[in-house]
Amino acid sequence: MTLDVKDKKALSDIRMRKALEFLEDARANLKETRIRTSLNRSYYAALNAVRSLLILEGVNPETHDGAVTMLSLRFIKPGILPVEIVKNFKILLSRRTDVDYGDFDTQEISDAEDSLKIAEKMIEEIDRLRKKLMADL
């Protein structure tokens, strides 16, 4: 994807706003004990935060695994972000896959609470780096 700096920044902002909106949805659903939906929204909040960061590098992965791979290659392997970010992202992806495609309810409220905390921390770290990268573009 070829975008100019202005477009990268605009798309990054849109994706981060979406991440924050989905994070609020995860909180609201958790409060109403909609565990599956909360788990789903926590993952998509984190995914949109990751995508908001990757687009600044001109990277626009088309799959969930592509987002994991590109996050690892661009930000984890070079030591820009801690490895825990990608490990936690994979946990969120696994939980989201389970609730979206699994036939049995094996999720606990503690899973939704943990997923929300993971997403909050990821978004905070990613947004801090994103703002720094945007200032440097």
Side-chain angles (χ1 to χ4, degrees):
M1 173 178 276
T2 307
L3 298 171
D4 64 25
V5 172
K6 180 180 151 202
D7 290 338
K8 286 178 183 179
K9 288 180 175 183
L11 194 48
S12 180
D13 283 340
I14 289 167
R15 290 176 177 181
M16 184 51 72
R17 281 194 302 273
K18 196 173 181 182
L20 295 171
E21 177 185 334
F22 287 175
L23 193 60
E24 284 303 313
D25 292 344
R27 283 188 194 107
N29 280 287
L30 180 60
K31 186 176 179 181
E32 295 177 12
T33 63
R34 295 182 191 164
I35 296 169
R36 288 187 299 267
T37 308
S38 180
L39 286 162
N40 176 286
R41 296 292 86 190
S42 289
Y43 167 72
Y44 279 103
L47 175 64
N48 278 284
V50 167
R51 293 179 72 233
S52 78
L53 187 59
L54 290 173
I55 200 63
L56 295 175
E57 296 276 306
V59 176
N60 193 36
E62 295 182 10
T63 66
H64 299 276
D65 287 335
V68 171
T69 299
M70 295 312 296
L71 177 66
S72 296
L73 290 173
R74 297 290 180 125
F75 295 100
I76 305 302
K77 190 174 182 181
I80 299 168
L81 285 172
V83 71
E84 289 78 26
I85 291 277
V86 80
K87 287 180 181 179
N88 285 332
F89 191 39
K90 288 178 181 179
I91 289 169
L92 294 178
L93 174 57
S94 175
R95 288 176 179 169
R96 193 276 313 179
T97 302
D98 288 347
V99 298
D100 285 356
Y101 301 107
D103 293 324
F104 302 101
D105 285 335
T106 58
Q107 300 76 30
E108 310 267 333
I109 196 155
S110 60
D111 294 328
E113 292 167 341
D114 183 56
S115 291
L116 181 58
K117 287 177 189 171
I118 288 171
E120 288 170 338
K121 185 175 180 186
M122 279 185 67
I123 291 168
E124 182 181 313
E125 281 194 63
I126 287 170
D127 198 33
R128 189 176 317 121
L129 175 58
R130 184 183 77 89
K131 288 174 180 172
K132 182 184 180 307
L133 292 176
M134 287 175 68
D136 293 344
L137 284 179

